Amino acid sequence: MTAAAEEEKRRLAALARGHVRIAGRCGVNAAAKIGCLVAGMAAGADSIDDMDVLRHGAMPDLFEGVRAPSTLGSFLRSFTWGNVRQLEKVHRELLAGLAGRAPLLPGAGQLAFIDMDSMQRRVYGHAKQGAAFGHAKIQGKTVLVRGLNALAAVVSTPQAAPVVAATRLRGGSANTGRGAASLLAGAIGTARAAGCTGIIVARMDSGYYSAAVCRAARRAGAFFSVTAQRRRQTPTSSRAGRAGGERSLQAGNLPQSPGPDISPCPI
């Protein structure tokens, strides 16, 4: 187990050195800092200050290259959108390599699912970049929360637990479907690289019911299951719709749905 973990750590460092290029002095030794961030999150850290867990006890004796939380915070703040995309490539190749050496997604050759959803996370501080008010559910109630919005897609199989395939951090006031089409396309590509060679079904709620998202799934060769939004109608539009439907049926033509086509899906 120790040898496998050491090999995976070296692979992460090699991928980070090969793909991530961050300008400025804060981007020096990016591979070591990315490794520290991954190790800190694995140890339960969910903030920059919590990264100090890497320096507790005998941790510095076991792991070399541990950086201070302030150094890691400056490193993260120097990221640009292009650097985030570089890190996504590191994640995609690391997940594909891990799936090739371990039974990460058993049954992926027959059927795999991709579930996509977003969440609003509260942040503090008036200078927090991108922080804005957005809707969040707390104890079953929808409230406005000042924070950042995270969009994520996970891949799973009937025999395997979900594995994160793609993530994206958005402004707190971002619409639910913002950037969903490109993220879904990337998640399907990641799933294919991780060994999902069979049927892939993307599952989403009504917030992603749009032509762009549906086209992205079909273009990538995946099925999809999405909750369709029910459009509100006024009494006048309802009567007009019924009259138009009757005329179409009398003419022998079925009325066409105004929304995007739903891909054939066993679910």
Side-chain angles (χ1 to χ4, degrees):
M1 185 67 180
T2 304
E6 184 67 22
E7 179 187 354
E8 212 53 47
K9 184 178 70 172
R10 290 176 180 173
R11 178 171 174 79
L12 173 61
L15 289 172
R17 281 193 295 268
H19 297 305
V20 181
R21 297 286 186 273
I22 300 177
R25 59 186 182 87
C26 292
V28 177
N29 296 323
K33 295 173 183 176
I34 291 173
C36 287
L37 290 167
V38 172
M41 289 187 289
D46 60 1
S47 68
I48 294 300
D49 290 339
D50 289 346
M51 288 294 166
D52 203 34
V53 69
L54 297 176
R55 301 194 294 181
H56 284 182
M59 293 285 280
D61 296 333
L62 294 174
F63 303 101
E64 59 183 11
V66 174
R67 300 304 196 266
S70 59
T71 302
L72 298 176
S74 300
F75 173 69
L76 288 176
R77 283 189 288 271
S78 64
F79 268 62
T80 64
W81 171 248
N83 297 137
V84 174
R85 299 291 289 174
Q86 292 170 355
L87 200 58
E88 288 177 358
K89 185 174 183 180
V90 171
H91 167 257
R92 183 166 58 249
E93 294 188 10
L94 183 67
L95 182 62
L98 182 60
R101 291 190 294 274
L104 191 64
L105 294 167
Q110 288 75 41
L111 176 63
F113 301 105
I114 292 179
D115 296 282
M116 184 169 63
D117 205 354
S118 62
M119 66 186 74
Q120 185 82 0
R121 287 299 185 188
R122 189 190 303 272
V123 297
Y124 303 91
H126 298 290
K128 179 69 72 173
Q129 184 180 10
F133 284 97
H135 292 280
K137 274 195 174 181
I138 299 178
Q139 295 182 348
K141 297 181 180 179
T142 301
V143 296
L144 282 175
V145 173
R146 185 177 181 275
L148 297 173
N149 191 277
L151 180 64
V154 298
V155 57
S156 63
T157 70
Q159 296 87 32
V163 177
V164 176
T167 59
R168 188 163 297 170
L169 188 63
R170 308 178 294 181
S173 59
N175 180 270
T176 302
R178 179 181 177 184
S182 60
L183 184 125
L184 178 60
I188 294 173
T190 300
R192 295 290 188 198
C196 298
T197 57
I199 295 174
I200 294 180
V201 180
R203 304 184 292 191
M204 303 156 284
D205 62 26
S206 60
Y208 308 99
Y209 179 64
S210 69
V213 174
C214 297
R215 277 197 301 265
R218 300 179 74 171
R219 195 181 299 118
F223 294 88
F224 62 86
S225 173
V226 58
T227 305
Q229 295 177 346
R230 185 174 182 178
R231 299 180 179 180
R232 294 182 178 179
Q233 292 183 332
T234 63
T236 304
S237 64
S238 297
R239 287 194 297 269
R242 285 196 297 271
E246 291 171 0
R247 286 195 298 270
S248 298
L249 290 174
Q250 289 172 0
N253 298 321
L254 292 176
Q256 298 297 316
S257 171
D261 296 335
I262 299 300
S263 176
C265 176
I267 294 179

